[in-house]
Amino acid sequence: MRPVAVTGIGLVTPAGVGVETNWARLIKGVSTAAPDPRLHDVPVQFSCRVPDFDADKLLGSRLSWQLDPVSQFALIAAREAIADAGHDVEGWDAPRVGVVIGSCVGGAQTSAVQNDKFHDSGPDAVSAMFLPMSLVNMVAGVLSIHCNATGPNLLVSTACASGSTAIGVACELLLRDQCDIVIAGGAEAAITPLYVSGFARMGTLSRRNDDPTGASRPFSAERDGFVMAEGAGILVLERVEDAEARRAPVWARVLGYGNSADGYHVTSPHPEALGARAAAEQACTQAGISPSEVQHVNAHGSGTKLSDAVESRYIADYFPKAITTSTKSLIGHPLGAAGAIEAAYTAMSLRHQLIPATANLDPQDPAIEIDIAAETRPAAIDLAMSNSFGFGGHNAVLLMGR
């Protein structure tokens, strides 16, 4: 695979709005989880929300009221990424600009509000904007409309691997010469009582209502589930030669992409991580490297008992020299946005040569025998892997380099 350049990054996450704000919060190594008053009637009463988010201020009130928070997050992040890449949406060749976004559920908050209106006041109370705001494909559609991008426009949904899958598909569009630029990433805004209750009933969420900041603890012996989060991560991707021709600064290069299915269980990973291993093999083969050359892994690291155990064994086998972190320990699990946000964090680690801490690791599970950064750690990193795995057995990995 020919490398693809990451020329722009935009972030809206529980660590804040904007790349610089995110990085400053990330390297402090402190969880963003906090009590959530909107979850007072459900078993898990905390989450990782985007702090102090004011859509009216960031988008203008006329536009913000037309968009579910998932599209608000995506558009704000996309605008930052485009500006970071040095592009002007009015000046670029719109038919050569694509959009590929990953999301699990789309406009969950709009759906919840409109469902209540339907049951409380009848069908005439349902907003005419309900479907345009809630359909999952609209996240990609909104970016096309408001970023003047009229090339391929795709929404991919591979559960919690969606963001990484979107970036991989975007790379393929570039390398097939269907686009010159692709706006790619993931977005999610599903912290509602219904979704939190559903995950809680499955036993996948931490129940530490008395200690939210200590709840997200991937690879710890005391882990008991993940913490629901929200946000968006958007990358601007271009062919390396095009970025070099316009002398654009490059955050990182996508060197390989692997995608596979476990074909095993609706929620549990394959016990031998066969799908994850297959995806990693694909990515490393595309890049022409051995897995043992990878120096850093931004793990899926959700904090569930089974998933962390399986992933850690695969990391130990495939990436024995790598320093691992899970940034979900800091920002929680934003579902379909996770892979894209983590790809952005991996690119930032490559630029800054710093690996963010895995918060709440102590005590590390003694059965997990990999090198995990318990504190923010300087490191010489040339090759890094970002892992994303989702319900349904979806696996997507991105190999990135300087």
Side-chain angles (χ1 to χ4, degrees):
M1 169 177 160
R2 286 156 47 211
V4 169
V6 179
T7 56
I9 298 177
L11 290 168
V12 176
T13 81
V17 177
V19 168
E20 291 185 5
T21 300
N22 266 262
W23 188 247
R25 181 68 186 265
L26 209 63
I27 61 176
K28 290 181 179 178
V30 179
S31 171
T32 59
D36 190 333
R38 284 176 275 187
L39 301 177
H40 63 89
D41 286 334
V42 298
V44 176
Q45 299 174 354
F46 60 95
S47 68
C48 292
R49 288 194 184 268
V50 177
D52 306 317
F53 183 72
D54 187 338
D56 287 354
K57 180 179 179 181
L58 294 168
L59 294 172
S61 58
R62 184 174 181 180
L63 177 56
S64 69
W65 81 264
Q66 300 175 48
L67 304 177
D68 183 89
V70 68
S71 295
Q72 295 172 357
F73 294 159
L75 181 55
I76 291 163
R79 287 177 171 177
E80 181 186 25
I82 292 164
D84 184 42
H87 285 298
D88 175 6
V89 300
E90 298 304 322
W92 63 18
D93 185 5
R96 297 290 297 172
V97 181
V99 177
V100 188
I101 301 299
S103 186
C104 286
V105 296
Q109 296 186 36
T110 294
S111 294
V113 169
Q114 297 303 315
N115 184 64
D116 288 346
K117 288 184 176 181
F118 175 80
H119 285 289
D120 292 344
S121 304
D124 289 343
V126 174
S127 171
M129 289 295 292
F130 165 44
L131 291 175
M133 291 173 69
S134 63
L135 293 175
V136 67
N137 69 290
M138 284 300 192
V139 186
V142 163
L143 297 196
S144 171
I145 293 164
H146 293 284
C147 297
N148 189 32
T150 61
N153 186 262
L154 304 173
L155 189 293
V156 300
S157 189
T158 53
C160 300
S162 297
S164 295
T165 304
I167 293 168
V169 171
C171 290
E172 292 170 348
L173 291 175
L174 289 164
L175 297 179
R176 289 201 301 264
D177 198 32
Q178 290 183 253
C179 299
D180 295 326
I181 301 165
V182 183
I183 303 163
E188 207 75 83
I191 307 175
T192 68
L194 178 61
Y195 276 95
V196 171
S197 296
F199 280 116
R201 288 282 293 161
M202 292 174 65
T204 59
L205 295 184
S206 172
R207 298 288 186 118
R208 294 173 182 261
N209 288 322
D210 58 342
D211 180 26
T213 58
S216 187
R217 43 195 324 119
F219 306 119
S220 168
E222 297 177 356
R223 65 190 185 277
D224 70 328
F226 67 82
V227 178
M228 284 281 283
E230 63 184 7
I234 302 293
L235 309 183
V236 171
L237 302 173
E238 307 175 50
R239 288 179 290 271
V240 167
E241 55 268 32
D242 294 342
E244 291 175 344
R246 66 182 188 90
R247 298 182 179 179
V250 173
W251 281 93
R253 291 165 173 79
V254 182
L255 305 176
Y257 161 62
N259 191 305
S260 70
D262 285 350
Y264 175 73
H265 190 270
V266 292
T267 58
S268 297
H270 190 283
E272 300 302 321
L274 295 185
R277 293 169 190 261
E281 287 278 9
Q282 291 172 33
C284 291
T285 298
Q286 287 179 3
I289 69 153
S290 165
S292 63
E293 296 177 64
V294 172
Q295 297 145 316
H296 170 47
V297 175
N298 190 309
H300 180 68
S302 63
T304 62
K305 284 285 187 183
L306 182 58
S307 178
D308 284 8
V310 170
E311 184 180 15
S312 67
R313 291 195 293 271
Y314 136 77
I315 291 172
D317 289 346
Y318 265 55
F319 312 117
K321 300 176 184 177
I323 304 166
T324 296
T325 194
S326 171
T327 45
K328 289 185 181 73
S329 68
L330 305 169
I331 65 161
H333 192 349
L335 307 181
I341 293 170
E342 289 157 12
Y345 288 164
T346 302
M348 294 158 76
S349 288
L350 283 160
R351 172 174 285 188
H352 296 297
Q353 297 288 281
L354 277 175
I355 296 173
T358 300
N360 304 315
L361 178 63
D362 188 34
Q364 182 171 332
D365 187 335
I368 292 177
E369 298 177 337
I370 57 176
D371 182 7
I372 301 172
E375 305 289 341
T376 298
R377 189 189 302 185
I381 316 166
D382 293 311
L383 294 168
M385 186 73 81
S386 182
N387 289 337
S388 297
F389 312 130
F391 286 174
H394 296 284
N395 306 292
V397 302
L398 297 165
L399 179 63
M400 305 178 78
R402 296 179 74 183

